[in-house]
């Protein structure tokens, strides 16, 4: 019989990796962050099993791990606003394709919450409800933030020559 | 049909469209050129979707295995250490016993040797007695 960790937590690894990549924009660091998060998830799997939202806990842990990675690099001296750090990592230096860089350029224009929600919807294809549990937010807030992010995307794409995505 | 689509787009920009509705909207993407931002942006998102981590061990399967092997190895190491220590102690005790026996033999030999030497010293008193007898006799003769 498969454990709770194997059925519920381990399958999240690819999605969590991409989420970490959104913040860190470095494949190795994202890998490290996910590995650490998975280890923590495994060690806390008994507690996670009884939680209402284990996925939310994993995302929060991943976010903390990613923040620690950024702080370890010493790229950011001001540590007041955690979210602002997570969006300032440059994507231009990484070996991403032109298309990915374009997506990241747009994502970097968004505030952290909108960026994450937009990403979970457009890249991961999650429902509003799933995003709400990932982000530990009410569903309405997810819709509002998604609306704002898409509005910005519309403007962004209009400025880049095409109104539709 | 066209009205439906524009309604769907409206819903999409408001963030209220469902995943099914969005798949309808993005299902008709053909015919656009490579240089337009639309396919470029969608392509970028698809490329992001394909990003996967390198293979790393699953803690759930790797962990108990490693623990079990480590536990057995530790047990064997402890047993080997204990066995080694016990035989070392036994050997030390034997060696100490042999050393004590050797020391006792040596002591006994020395004692015997001492006793023999004392016997000779004892005999000296007879030598003195002889000298005394000689002197007495000499005096008588004079």
């Amino acid at each position: 019989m498969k454990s709770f960790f194997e059925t519920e937590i381990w399958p999240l690894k690819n999605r969590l990796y991409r989420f970490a990549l959104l913040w860190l924009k470095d494949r190795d660091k994202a890998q490290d962050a996910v590995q650490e998060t998975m280890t923590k998830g495994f060690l806390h799997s008994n507690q996670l099993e009884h939680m209402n939202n284990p996925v939310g806990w994993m995302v929060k842990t991943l976010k903390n791990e990613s923040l620690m990675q950024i702080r370890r690099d010493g790229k950011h001296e001001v540590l007041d606003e955690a979210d602002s750090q997570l969006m300032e990592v440059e994507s231009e230096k990484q070996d991403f394709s032109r298309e990915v860089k374009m997506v990241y350029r747009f994502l970097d224009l968004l505030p952290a919450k909108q960026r994450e929600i937009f990403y979970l919807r457009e890249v991961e294809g999650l429902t509003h409800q799933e995003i709400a549990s990932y982000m530990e937010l009410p569903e309405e807030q997810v819709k509002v933030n998604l609306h704002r992010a898409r509005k910005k995307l519309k403007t962004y794409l209009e400025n880049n020559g095409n109104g539709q995505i | 049909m066209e009205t439906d689509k524009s309604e769907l787009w409206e819903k999409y920009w408001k963030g209220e469209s469902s995943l099914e509705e969005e798949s309808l909207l993005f299902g008709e993407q053909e015919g656009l050129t490579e240089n337009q931002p639309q396919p470029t942006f969608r392509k970028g998102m698809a490329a992001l979707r394909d990003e996967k981590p390198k293979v790393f061990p699953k803690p759930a399967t790797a962990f108990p295995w490693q623990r079990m092997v480590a536990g057995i190895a530790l047990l064997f190491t402890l047993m080997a250490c204990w066995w080694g220590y016990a035989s070392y102690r036994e050997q030390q005790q034997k060696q100490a016993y042999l050393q004590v026996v050797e020391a006792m033999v040596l002591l006994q030999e020395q004692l015997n040797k001492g006793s023999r030497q004392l016997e000779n010293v004892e005999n000296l008193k007879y030598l003195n007695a002889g000298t005394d007898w000689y002197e007495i006799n000499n005096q008588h003769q004079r």
Side-chain angles (χ1 to χ4, degrees):
Chain A
M1 203 183 97
K2 284 190 172 180
S3 66
F4 171 79
F5 178 81
E6 279 178 286
T7 53
E8 303 294 323
I9 305 297
W10 183 247
L12 296 172
K13 74 173 191 313
N14 290 357
R15 195 166 276 169
L16 289 178
Y17 168 75
R18 288 191 290 269
F19 215 22
L21 201 58
L22 173 71
W23 296 317
L24 297 163
K25 299 193 179 81
D26 183 303
R27 291 187 179 95
D28 292 334
K29 283 176 194 161
Q31 170 103 13
D32 287 348
V34 174
Q35 220 164 331
E36 279 295 317
T37 308
M38 277 292 160
T39 309
K40 283 186 181 170
F42 176 72
L43 293 172
H44 293 89
S45 49
N46 284 342
Q47 289 149 269
L48 280 173
E49 204 173 341
H50 300 104
M51 272 183 200
N52 289 330
N53 185 9
V55 178
W57 187 90
M58 288 298 285
V59 171
K60 209 186 276 176
T61 309
L62 180 72
K63 208 168 182 173
N64 289 337
E65 280 300 326
S66 303
L67 261 173
M68 271 163 65
Q69 290 267 359
I70 293 172
R71 285 174 196 183
R72 230 174 278 152
D73 290 348
K75 280 182 186 169
H76 301 270
E77 284 164 12
V78 184
L79 303 175
D80 301 331
E81 179 71 40
D83 285 340
S84 70
Q85 293 175 53
L86 288 171
M87 66 178 286
E88 285 168 13
V89 181
E90 271 185 65
S91 58
E92 297 302 312
K93 288 170 191 167
Q94 304 297 322
D95 60 337
F96 294 117
S97 66
R98 188 172 63 92
E99 293 86 6
V100 172
K101 277 180 185 172
M102 186 192 176
V103 175
Y104 276 144
R105 261 201 300 277
F106 166 68
L107 290 173
D108 286 346
L109 298 173
L110 300 175
K113 204 185 281 178
Q114 281 179 30
R115 189 176 67 241
E116 287 160 17
I117 290 171
F118 180 84
Y119 180 85
L120 288 173
R121 177 65 170 197
E122 301 293 340
V123 178
E124 299 297 341
L126 300 187
T127 62
H128 294 131
Q129 206 179 352
E130 284 171 323
I131 298 171
S133 74
Y134 260 72
M135 303 286 295
E136 296 186 314
L137 289 171
E139 220 175 303
E140 274 314 305
Q141 259 199 59
V142 171
K143 282 183 185 171
V144 169
N145 278 288
L146 189 61
H147 165 59
R148 285 178 188 158
R150 281 178 176 168
K151 221 167 133 184
K152 281 177 190 162
L153 174 68
K154 200 175 183 182
T155 318
Y156 177 78
L157 292 178
E158 272 166 4
N159 293 338
N160 283 276
N162 192 325
Q164 286 192 333
I165 61 162
Chain B
M1 184 70 184
E2 201 54 42
T3 331
D4 287 353
K5 227 178 159 193
S6 65
E7 267 175 28
L8 278 184
W9 273 115
E10 209 171 306
K11 265 179 103 178
Y12 172 80
W13 292 118
K14 278 184 182 167
E16 286 167 355
S17 52
S18 67
L19 286 174
E20 290 77 27
E21 288 167 336
E22 282 167 29
S23 69
L24 272 176
L25 282 175
F26 296 117
E28 297 164 23
Q29 288 291 305
E30 286 145 30
L32 290 161
T33 58
E34 192 45 32
N35 294 327
Q36 284 175 299
Q38 181 199 21
T40 313
F41 200 85
R42 301 295 309 170
K43 225 173 145 183
M45 291 206 280
L48 274 177
R49 217 170 286 137
D50 289 339
E51 287 277 353
K52 279 187 181 75
K54 286 175 221 157
V55 181
F56 59 88
K58 193 199 286 183
T61 52
F63 205 47
W65 239 128
Q66 285 171 355
R67 275 176 90 173
M68 227 163 76
V69 171
I72 292 166
L74 186 71
L75 196 73
F76 272 108
T77 313
L78 284 175
M79 273 166 67
C81 282
W82 177 250
W83 181 79
Y85 177 68
S87 66
Y88 170 77
R89 257 184 77 176
E90 204 179 326
Q91 211 173 359
Q92 286 284 94
Q93 280 174 345
K94 262 185 196 168
Q95 214 170 350
Y97 171 75
L98 287 173
Q99 275 177 345
V100 169
V101 168
E102 206 177 330
M104 295 297 255
V105 170
L106 193 71
L107 195 66
Q108 196 181 12
E109 273 174 17
Q110 294 301 320
L111 280 172
N112 288 343
K113 197 174 157 187
S115 303
R116 277 198 301 275
Q117 281 171 351
L118 270 175
E119 265 174 39
N120 291 337
V121 175
E122 284 275 312
N123 288 337
L124 278 178
K125 73 181 177 193
Y126 298 112
L127 188 66
N128 287 340
T131 316
D132 287 347
W133 277 112
Y134 176 73
E135 279 179 4
I136 292 164
N137 289 338
N138 267 356
Q139 276 172 6
H140 281 288
Q141 278 171 7
R142 267 184 233 144

